Amino acid sequence: MADRKVVDDGVGRYTAPDLPPDEPLEVGRYLDAFRRSKWLIALIVVSLTAAVLVISLLLPKTYRATSKMALVQPPDSLSSSDAPSTQRGLNTVAIRLTTREALRAAVRNGLKGETVDSLGDKVHATVDQDANVINVVATDDTARGAAAIANGVAATFLDTQNRAQRHQLARTRAVLEKELADLQASLTSLNQAEVQSQIAAVRQQLTDLALSANNGSSLQLAERAQAPSSPSSPRPIRNAFFAFFASLFIAALVVLARAQLRPRVSGSRELSRLLDLPVMVEVPFVRRRFGHSPNTLSAIEYEAYQTLQASLRMQLPPDRQRTVLVTSALHGEGKTEVTAALGLVLAQAGQRTWLVSADMRWPRLHELFDVAQTPGLAEVLAGGRQGESAVSVGARKEGARENGGRLHVLASGQRPPDPAQLLAGGALDGFFDEIRESEYDYVLLDGPPLLGLMDSQVLAQRVDGVIVVCRPDRLTSENAIDMRELLQRLRAPALGLVIIGGRSSPISYFEG
């Protein structure tokens, strides 16, 4: 539609609408896609390059040799001295070199083990556009064989040409000599001047013919083919080099196609908007070996978790006991590491903290703190430890005490056949009753992912707050929207997001 604007005369008129601004190219999104897919790119590049290299090494070797024939002077059939005519004549000769008659003559001339059909696949001729030279190129599975074929075909063709030229000269000489004899026999006093002129012309032709015969053929062998020192194909290094760059291009296309078909979340700002939750903190991603101790954090990580615990204490002040579920949308986003580090920082701040591994599908909390997996939450909920509370089980486990007894850990226990059914039973209510009767300031539950599982959904409805851990490089927009709708449907008290991203070199900052 047209836009109504007021111009200088004060009259409103409808004008053409302004064009929308060009959308900026989202370079960062594509760079993130390449960074996320680095292992896929490496797999494609290495596999394709290795396949080309192996195939090149397994292919039979082929050698190439070239003999050269030069045009010394234009032959009679190429009387015109202009370059286009000369090139056309050379092209004609190059075609004649590879005809079946020429190849059959080469076979008869001593190319043993070859046939007309085999030579047709091995021999071709080209004309040098910068010089009057014809290249006779031959290929074979041996170096000597390639040189022998090139030299044999070139020599046979030149011999055939020379014989044909000598035969033509002999016939021309015979015609001229007969014409000279006839002219001499018809010589009389009446026509002496005219016949003498014709006799002189014929004798001049005989002289030119003799000179042409002495000069030899206009095509001569300029260079014999030499046996090559290395095969012309395959060239494994060259092929692998080209395959490397071709596979890089293919991998880039694959990554860009994946980014278009299944776009990932570009960063914390977009993720916060999609989930409709504030970002509590962004924690840099530090790759460590499996099962590292949570007591070792980098300086920037420590600052991030200090910010997280301050934000948690501001939203849920410890005027009474607070129960917090730490979860994520998908598996492998770092929720267990966040639970462990947040518990340590809270304990260092003087808060009595209890970490409960409620993820019975992928338990890792007991590995981070080096505690026994059993007995744990599964045994408590299953009633396997009658007469003993969950608090006492978690408090007295060996190695569970950190920071002067202010931090305790309850492992997940033996994995049950159906974790969702175990958590949905009535024993969970009793477990939360025990939590409320305990003296802990904060109870952090390391729950399983929310999407697709009932485990964390049951827990999310019983806690004071939910912290959602996210890695934008693993989440799609659809995952984020599904997560937001699920939290709204559960009416879970979501506190905010912990974004795992960025990189930092780990250094030992504090020890429990």
Side-chain angles (χ1 to χ4, degrees), residues 162-452:
N162 290 335
R163 285 197 303 270
Q165 186 174 355
R166 287 195 299 269
H167 181 68
Q168 181 65 31
L169 289 175
R171 289 198 311 175
T172 304
R173 183 183 294 109
V175 172
L176 291 175
E177 289 176 349
K178 183 178 181 303
E179 183 180 354
L180 180 61
D182 293 341
L183 289 172
Q184 289 175 346
S186 63
L187 182 64
T188 63
S189 60
L190 297 176
N191 59 1
Q192 183 176 3
E194 181 181 356
V195 173
Q196 286 291 347
S197 175
Q198 294 179 357
I199 290 174
V202 172
R203 284 177 176 172
Q204 182 62 40
Q205 292 180 11
L206 286 172
T207 301
D208 295 341
L209 192 63
L211 291 174
S212 178
N214 291 333
N215 291 334
S217 175
S218 57
L219 272 178
Q220 296 182 4
L221 185 63
E223 182 180 340
R224 288 178 56 83
Q226 302 296 324
S229 59
S230 60
S232 59
S233 69
R235 296 182 180 178
I237 302 301
R238 183 196 64 179
N239 295 343
F241 180 78
F242 288 131
F244 174 79
F245 288 101
S247 58
L248 273 179
F249 179 72
I250 294 173
L253 291 181
V254 171
V255 171
L256 292 177
R258 290 182 61 196
Q260 289 293 330
L261 296 176
R262 194 172 177 83
R264 302 279 179 167
V265 178
S266 61
S268 58
R269 180 175 299 179
E270 181 182 1
L271 191 57
S272 175
R273 177 179 58 82
L274 291 173
L275 285 170
D276 195 20
L277 290 175
V279 176
M280 300 177 71
V281 71
E282 293 190 43
V283 181
F285 174 72
V286 178
R287 187 177 299 279
R288 298 186 176 92
R289 62 180 178 85
F290 180 78
H292 74 279
S293 172
N295 293 340
T296 302
L297 295 175
S298 68
I300 192 170
E301 282 180 304
Y302 181 73
E303 292 295 332
Y305 284 114
Q306 285 282 28
T307 302
L308 177 59
Q309 69 94 12
S311 176
L312 177 63
R313 293 172 64 184
M314 182 175 64
Q315 295 188 62
L316 298 178
D319 52 357
R320 60 182 177 86
Q321 185 186 85
R322 302 295 186 173
T323 305
V324 178
L325 173 66
V326 183
T327 184
S328 60
L330 305 174
H331 174 63
E333 295 191 73
K335 60 178 181 55
T336 302
E337 287 78 2
V338 171
T339 305
L342 177 59
L344 281 168
V345 174
L346 285 171
Q348 283 191 344
Q351 305 297 316
R352 292 165 297 178
T353 308
W354 190 23
L355 305 184
V356 179
S357 179
D359 188 350
M360 302 181 193
R361 300 177 186 271
W362 302 282
R364 284 198 57 229
L365 195 62
H366 65 284
E367 296 173 351
L368 297 181
F369 287 95
D370 194 23
V371 299
Q373 186 174 2
T374 57
L377 179 62
E379 284 74 23
V380 171
L381 296 180
R385 297 188 62 83
Q386 297 291 341
E388 190 171 8
S389 68
V391 176
S392 61
V393 172
R396 72 177 186 82
K397 288 168 65 68
E398 294 183 2
R401 303 189 179 197
E402 300 284 348
N403 292 282
R406 292 189 297 271
L407 177 65
H408 293 164
V409 178
L410 177 63
S412 61
Q414 188 68 31
R415 177 176 177 176
D418 189 353
Q421 183 178 2
L422 183 62
L423 289 172
L428 186 63
D429 294 328
F431 173 70
F432 274 93
D433 290 339
E434 292 185 20
I435 291 178
R436 284 188 288 271
E437 294 174 359
S438 66
E439 297 180 354
Y440 291 106
D441 298 315
Y442 288 97
V443 177
L444 304 183
L445 302 176
D446 175 29
L450 271 174
L451 293 182

